[in-house]
């Protein structure tokens, strides 16, 4: 056993371990002999453990350990001392004089004399803070891992390059992909194409530090191709210096809620549809009423007019010839025909609903006679107007539905009169094709011809020829803006709405009848100067 003083002197005053280093070292330094008895301790050592030099020097080093560890510490010390190996740094928990515990990291060096280990120099560093910080970090990492892994909601960590780096089990389950697959596919690879942009835009803002978090309802596409709705909440995770590290995404499956919302929206849509249908029915009923009043008014006016005229003639003792009476009876008969036809239509409501096909029964019809009859009828109602019938031939015969055609002509003539409140001439022209006025094209009339009015040129076929009816007035005309829509149901000119009664169904009905005869009807007009309506009908209609 070496003398302690000798060893101290040897170490500290030999020049190998300058005294100033011993005194000022921040690390606690102690010199101990082979049995563990402390030979010398520097100020940092005394400060660390809270002992005075007298309390330590000469005592076993193990007094700095909690009592229960002292025996083990002494045994380990002896083993290290006698082991040929250089001891490695090690951490241990020590107890200070005031009872507080600290964690220290110790390194040991041996002092040798004559090739013999005579003392151990321990250098001890207080690492309590570092260990505590490490522990806290480890704890928070464990906590995060537990939270992340075990969370019942889907979670993902997305890097600043917008690529996912982690995905938890709940997310894998939700999307049907493994974590590796989610990482490989990226955010866009699992997102519904319509929702990619919105999410990426917000994520970029978040990672640029413009947002600290965001929430979004978005759709994902699962591995099996299903659509999953999720409430996505994303928060920014920063490093100690405040730089963005990750976007932490949390996804809550809201597919069931969305389904309920969709069902509710579907119900609302259905309810809306039903309401619209009900309104449509009410509107259709109103429209039906317009049609009824419109289509019944004209024939009843005819009957009233003709019978009134006859009555007046008879009352005043005027002679009524058989021919005149026959003519009047034909008018009444035709009017009754129209009413009957209308009542048939009424019993088949689909025929009355605007746009529904009408029943067309073609018969042999002389357009000239029809035009004269309609003109005469209207002439009897007005003195202000002069109704003229111009015809290219005395007769123009074709196969059409007579009462429907009368309805068309009646509509056009009654409009011409009605919308010429100042009076004037209403010209009804009947002819073929390009016929306008005074122009007499070559025609072949065949059996349905005007009976001898042909100019004798029989070389042209009738198959492509058309009958043309033109009704021209000098009345109010139709504003240019209204003209394109004038044949639509319930459309009325803006210039007449407030001043002349009407239903807006006459022209639409006329067009329907004409088109069902494979013909066409057009209008030209200049406001304030009059209107011209032209009906073109194929001449050879095959009877159905
Ligand atoms: P109604 O005459 O009952 O309003 P119509 O369908 O017969 O319905 O006519 C539709 C609209 O076309 C009329 O409201 C009117 O504005 C315009 N119209 C039809 N014929 C003439 C005409 N000869 N002159 C001026 N406007 C006309």
């Amino acid at each position: 056993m070496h003398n302690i003083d000798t060893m101290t002197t040897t170490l500290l005053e030999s020049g190998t371990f300058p005294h100033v280093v011993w005194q000022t070292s921040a690390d606690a330094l102690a010199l101990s002999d082979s049995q563990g008895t402390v030979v010398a301790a520097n100020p940092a050592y005394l400060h660390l453990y809270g002992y005075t030099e007298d309390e330590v020097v000469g005592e076993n080093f193990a007094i700095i350990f909690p009592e229960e560890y002292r025996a083990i510490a002494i045994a380990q010390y002896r083993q290290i001392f006698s082991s040929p190996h250089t001891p490695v740094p090690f951490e241990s928990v020590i107890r200070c004089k005031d009872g507080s515990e600290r964690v220290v990291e110790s390194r040991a060096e041996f002092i040798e004399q004559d090739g013999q280990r005579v003392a151990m120099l321990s250098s001890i560093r207080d690492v309590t803070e570092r260990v505590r910080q490490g522990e806290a970090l480890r704890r928070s990492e464990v906590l995060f891992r537990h939270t992340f892994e075990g969370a019942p909601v889907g979670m993902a960590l997305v890097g600043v390059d917008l690529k996912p780096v982690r995905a938890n089990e709940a997310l894998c389950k939700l999307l049907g992909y493994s974590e590796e697959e989610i990482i490989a596919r990226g955010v866009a690879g699992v997102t519904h194409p319509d929702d990619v942009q919105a999410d990426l835009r917000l994520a970029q803002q978040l990672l640029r530090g413009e947002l600290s978090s965001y929430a979004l309802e978005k759709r994902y596409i699962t591995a099996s191709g299903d659509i999953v709705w999720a409430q996505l909440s994303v928060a920014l995770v920063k490093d100690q210096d405040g730089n963005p590290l990750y976007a932490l995404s949390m996804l809550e499956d809201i597919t069931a809620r969305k389904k309920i919302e969709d069902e509710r929206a579907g119900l609302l849509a259905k309810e809306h549809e039903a309401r619209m249908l009900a309104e449509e029915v009410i509107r259709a009923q109103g429209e039906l009423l317009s049609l009824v009043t419109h289509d019944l008014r004209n024939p009843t006016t005819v009957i009233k007019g003709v019978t009134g005229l006859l009555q007046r003639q008879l009352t005043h003792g005027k002679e009524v010839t058989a021919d005149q009476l026959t003519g009047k009876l034909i008018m009444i008969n035709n009017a009754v025909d129209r009413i009957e036809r209308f009542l048939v239509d009424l019993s088949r409501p689909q025929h009355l609903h605007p746009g529904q096909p009408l029943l067309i029964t073609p018969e042999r019809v002389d357009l000239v006679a029809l035009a004269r009859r309609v003109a005469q009828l209207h002439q009897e109602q007005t003195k202000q107007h002069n109704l003229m019938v111009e015809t290219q031939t005395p007769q123009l015969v074709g196969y059409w539905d007579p009462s429907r055609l009368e309805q068309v002509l009646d509509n056009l003539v009654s409009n011409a009169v009605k919308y010429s409140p100042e009076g004037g001439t209403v010209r009804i022209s009947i002819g073929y094709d390009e016929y306008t006025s005074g122009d007499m094209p070559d025609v072949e009339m065949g059996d349905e011809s005007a009976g001898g009015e042909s100019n004798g040129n029989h070389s042209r076929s009738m198959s492509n020829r058309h009958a043309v009816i033109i009704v021209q007035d000098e009345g109010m005309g139709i504003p240019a803006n209204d003209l394109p829509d004038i044949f639509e149901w319930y459309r009325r000119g803006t210039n007449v709405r407030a001043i002349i009664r009407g239903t807006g169904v006459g022209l639409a009905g006329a067009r329907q009848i004409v088109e069902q005869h494979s013909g066409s009807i057009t209008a030209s007009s200049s406001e304030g100067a009059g209107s011209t309506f032209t009906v073109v009908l194929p001449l050879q209609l095959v009877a159905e």
Side-chain angles (χ1 to χ4, degrees):
M1 161 97 46
H2 294 266
N3 180 284
I4 291 171
D5 288 340
T6 320
M7 278 196 291
T8 315
T9 311
T10 310
L11 179 71
L12 299 180
E13 291 170 12
S14 63
T16 52
F17 204 108
H19 189 255
V20 65
V21 176
W22 176 265
Q23 287 295 331
T24 58
S25 169
D27 288 341
L29 300 172
L31 197 64
S32 46
D33 66 13
S34 60
Q35 295 308 304
T37 305
V38 178
V39 178
N42 78 342
Y45 187 99
L46 300 173
H47 176 75
L48 173 63
Y49 296 110
Y51 289 105
T52 62
E53 195 168 7
D54 292 344
E55 286 170 324
V56 176
V57 174
E59 295 295 330
N60 194 286
F61 79 97
I63 62 160
I64 57 161
F65 286 101
E67 204 142 338
E68 57 274 26
Y69 297 136
R70 281 183 193 162
I72 300 170
I74 291 168
Q76 280 177 345
Y77 182 91
R78 289 203 184 118
Q79 198 198 349
I80 291 169
F81 210 96
S82 55
S83 161
H85 302 295
T86 313
V88 288
F90 62 97
E91 272 179 16
S92 49
V93 178
I94 50 96
R95 185 168 291 162
C96 305
K97 190 180 168 190
D98 63 4
S100 62
E101 291 191 345
R102 306 204 66 82
V103 183
V104 295
E105 186 186 79
S106 307
R107 292 161 196 277
E109 297 277 344
F110 290 104
I111 313 274
E112 294 186 356
Q113 267 181 1
D114 308 326
Q116 286 264 313
R117 287 179 177 174
V118 291
M120 185 159 81
L121 175 67
S122 301
S123 155
I124 301 149
R125 183 167 293 177
D126 185 355
V127 293
T128 313
E129 280 317 307
R130 195 188 76 198
V131 169
R132 271 194 198 141
Q133 278 174 8
E135 181 69 9
L137 197 65
R138 206 179 59 78
R139 275 212 203 109
S140 73
E141 272 172 2
V142 169
L143 192 68
F144 175 77
R145 220 174 21 250
H146 275 357
T147 314
F148 189 83
E149 298 295 357
V153 295
M155 288 179 91
L157 276 182
V158 178
V160 281
D161 54 0
L162 294 174
K163 289 185 182 150
V165 288
R166 290 291 316 272
N168 76 349
E169 211 180 306
L171 183 60
C172 295
K173 213 166 135 198
L174 183 69
L175 300 183
Y177 289 115
S178 67
E179 184 177 15
E180 291 72 29
E181 283 170 330
I182 292 174
I183 291 169
R185 297 185 79 86
V187 177
V190 293
T191 298
H192 189 285
D194 294 348
D195 295 345
V196 171
Q197 276 315 310
D199 190 15
L200 281 186
R201 218 176 19 249
L202 287 166
Q204 279 163 349
Q205 280 178 271
L206 180 92
L207 291 164
R208 279 201 300 265
E210 293 164 14
L211 295 174
S212 58
S213 66
Y214 68 86
L216 182 74
E217 281 185 1
K218 63 175 275 198
R219 285 161 293 178
Y220 290 85
I221 309 268
T222 67
S224 53
D226 293 334
I227 291 177
V228 169
W229 270 101
Q231 167 73 48
L232 171 70
S233 308
V234 187
L236 183 63
V237 181
K238 296 177 182 170
D239 67 13
Q240 281 163 338
D241 302 325
N243 300 315
L245 267 185
Y246 300 112
L248 175 63
S249 307
M250 276 165 285
L251 289 80
E252 192 189 345
D253 185 357
I254 55 165
T255 312
R257 192 188 87 196
K258 279 282 176 191
K259 206 170 148 210
I260 292 170
E261 279 175 12
D262 283 355
E263 280 168 6
R264 199 176 299 149
L267 282 177
L268 279 175
K270 273 201 187 119
E271 191 193 291
H272 179 72
E273 211 174 287
R275 207 172 45 237
M276 297 296 282
L277 204 68
E279 283 170 7
E280 167 72 9
V281 169
I282 292 167
R283 198 175 60 83
Q285 282 173 349
E287 289 170 357
L288 187 64
L289 204 63
S290 311
L291 273 168
V292 171
T293 49
H294 180 273
D295 285 8
L296 284 184
R297 185 176 295 134
N298 284 359
T300 47
T301 311
V302 171
I303 296 169
K304 216 172 151 203
V306 172
T307 50
L309 189 74
L310 274 177
Q311 201 182 6
R312 279 197 301 281
Q313 284 178 320
L314 293 172
T315 313
H316 292 102
K318 279 193 184 165
E319 194 192 335
V320 181
T321 66
D323 272 1
Q324 282 175 332
L325 196 59
T326 309
K328 304 282 182 232
L329 285 176
I330 288 172
M331 282 186 190
I332 294 171
N333 202 39
N334 285 343
V336 171
D337 271 357
R338 279 180 64 189
I339 294 172
E340 263 179 2
R341 174 64 77 89
F342 187 72
L343 291 176
V344 170
D345 281 349
L346 212 54
S347 66
R348 296 192 201 96
Q350 71 274 22
H351 285 161
L352 276 174
H353 200 274
Q356 292 298 311
L358 297 162
L359 193 68
I360 301 288
T361 318
E363 284 173 26
R364 192 175 183 278
V365 180
D366 175 8
L367 263 190
V368 173
L370 181 74
R372 289 198 196 288
R373 210 167 53 235
V374 172
Q376 188 190 347
L377 207 71
H378 284 279
Q379 188 63 78
E380 281 165 10
Q381 325 274 323
T382 173
K383 289 197 167 55
Q384 269 182 299
H385 301 85
N386 177 25
L387 280 93
M388 288 174 57
V389 179
E390 281 184 353
T391 68
Q392 199 177 354
T393 53
Q395 278 190 312
L396 202 166
V397 179
Y399 273 99
W400 302 294
D401 186 315
S403 49
R404 302 280 186 206
L405 227 50
E406 183 172 339
Q407 187 181 332
V408 172
L409 203 56
D410 188 50
N411 267 320
L412 296 179
V413 175
S414 71
N415 277 350
V417 170
K418 183 164 70 166
Y419 295 116
S420 305
E422 315 270 299
T425 299
V426 173
R427 197 181 305 272
I428 305 161
S429 310
I430 307 291
Y432 302 109
D433 270 346
E434 313 81 2
Y435 170 74
T436 46
S437 63
D439 182 14
M440 298 285 281
D442 294 342
V443 289
E444 179 192 5
M445 300 304 288
D447 279 349
E448 285 78 49
S449 77
E453 288 299 316
S454 159
N455 67 359
N457 182 347
H458 292 265
S459 62
R460 290 175 64 185
S461 159
M462 287 296 294
S463 58
N464 293 323
R465 305 307 303 269
H466 294 83
V468 181
I469 307 164
I470 299 170
V471 179
Q472 202 172 11
D473 65 60
E474 301 166 346
M476 305 161 69
I478 302 165
N481 277 347
D482 300 334
L483 199 57
D485 300 325
I486 218 70
F487 293 102
E488 300 297 326
W489 291 97
Y490 309 107
R491 293 295 174 89
R492 303 204 66 220
T494 44
N495 58 335
V496 305
R497 273 180 216 160
I499 50 173
I500 298 176
R501 280 186 59 190
T503 55
V505 299
L507 287 184
R511 181 173 72 169
Q512 187 173 355
I513 292 169
V514 170
E515 286 180 352
Q516 278 196 247
H517 281 84
S518 305
S520 68
I521 182 166
T522 52
S524 64
S525 181
S526 91
E527 202 179 349
S531 309
T532 303
F533 287 84
T534 305
V535 175
V536 178
L537 294 167
L539 254 179
Q540 290 205 338
L541 268 183
V542 180
E544 284 163 16

